[in-house]
Amino acid sequence: MKYISEFRDPALAQSLATAIAREADPARSYAFMEFCGGHTHAIFRYGVQDLVPSNVRFVHGPGCPVCVLPMRRLDDALELAERHGVILATYGDMMRVPGSGRRSMLTARSAGADIRMVYSPLDALALARDNPDRQVVFMGIGFETTTPATGMAILTARAQGLSNFSVFCNHVLTPPAMAHVLAAPGVALDGFLGPSHVSTVIGAGAYRPLVAHYGRPMVIAGFEPLDVLQSVLMLIRQVNEGRQEVENQYSRVVTEAGNTRAQAVIEEVFALRDTFEWRGLGSVPDSARAIRPELADFDAEARFTISEKQSREVKSCECPAILRGVKQPKDCKLFGKACTPETPMGACMVSSEGSCAAYYTYRRAETMAEMEAAE
């Protein structure tokens, strides 16, 4: 298919791989973090890591919104459904993520909670219209990519007078998470593969202060294998030349300013939280959105009382360390044994963008062999 097949052309891929091998300095190593889980899956699906030299390493980042949601927020969502009796509408990836005691939305639904999978906030609005005697809570989750759609749902609910609709807001921001990763000890990075979809909303310019402050190059990369290979080549050239810039490989979609209409919706509906807890990263300042006080009628956290609780990660699950880039799925003794997509112990194995899911889908045998050799 045009515009797809041309970004998967084997001959062009080999040409880019040859250029990378030629320009990568054999006397040094390169560690590039692909922030977005979509890039992680593209790298494994198309065997990109096999096309680059061994001294060019991909570090998997925290760019999976389902994965970085802390267990406490999942437990809070379950409480909304079970204690308050709302119709809880959520995206499919969230349904199987284990919360405290390995309880998930699926297990809660089997026990009687009214939890429904939706494909967009519009589906949740339809549930509110179709069930005027029930409170409907949409679990808003995601980076800047999905935040505008949640904002439009809130504005539509206000315009249509849907007093039985609210949002449990868990939308997070990309640049603060990147800054947190760079400021934390234990991860040595030479550059970032910048996210694709997020960048269509916030624009390339949103990363320039981050790159200037931390002195790490970034190339905004598309999701296709040739996109990733070209972006790696661009990063290697920046590192070799001592440059620290934001470059936009995905220029066919991403602009400097981004989607200003989407940004306007975000600013109208949401404010910044002072801090927000991320799985694996801990509390990150100014890294998440909250619904503005003037729209509190559509804020589930303002409408319903949610109890204080202590949530704990599954023992031995390395998902938090994997999200920080300090470990890989092969470093988790649960991988492929107690933890599989059918019986997930952590969010990294559940989500379609999770690192463990990528390893399991595309590199399971190789990963299991490496784990056995290390024992």
Side-chain angles (χ1 to χ4, degrees), residues 65-66 69 90-91 94 138-143 146 150 168 170-171:
V66 171
L69 185 74
T90 182
Y91 295 129
M94 284 303 307
F138 172 66
M139 188 166 183
I141 183 171
F143 289 91
T146 56
T150 301
F168 182 45
N170 297 278
H171 287 291

Side-chain angles (χ1 to χ4, degrees), residues 79-164:
E79 181 178 340
L80 286 170
E82 295 174 326
R83 176 184 167 197
H84 294 285
V86 306
I87 298 175
L88 181 65
T90 182
Y91 295 129
D93 274 2
M94 284 303 307
M95 296 291 287
R96 296 188 302 114
V97 177
S100 294
R102 296 192 62 190
R103 294 175 63 252
S104 68
M105 291 186 180
L106 276 180
T107 58
R109 188 172 69 175
S110 67
D114 196 347
I115 303 175
R116 309 188 192 186
M117 186 183 76
V118 295
Y119 292 98
S120 76
L122 294 178
D123 294 340
L125 285 174
L127 284 174
R129 285 191 294 267
D130 295 341
N131 297 272
D133 57 336
R134 299 281 305 281
Q135 289 291 327
V136 175
V137 176
F138 172 66
M139 188 166 183
I141 183 171
F143 289 91
E144 295 92 339
T145 312
T146 56
T147 308
T150 301
M152 284 303 303
I154 291 173
L155 295 177
T156 301
R158 182 179 64 177
Q160 296 180 355
L162 292 175
S163 60
N164 64 327

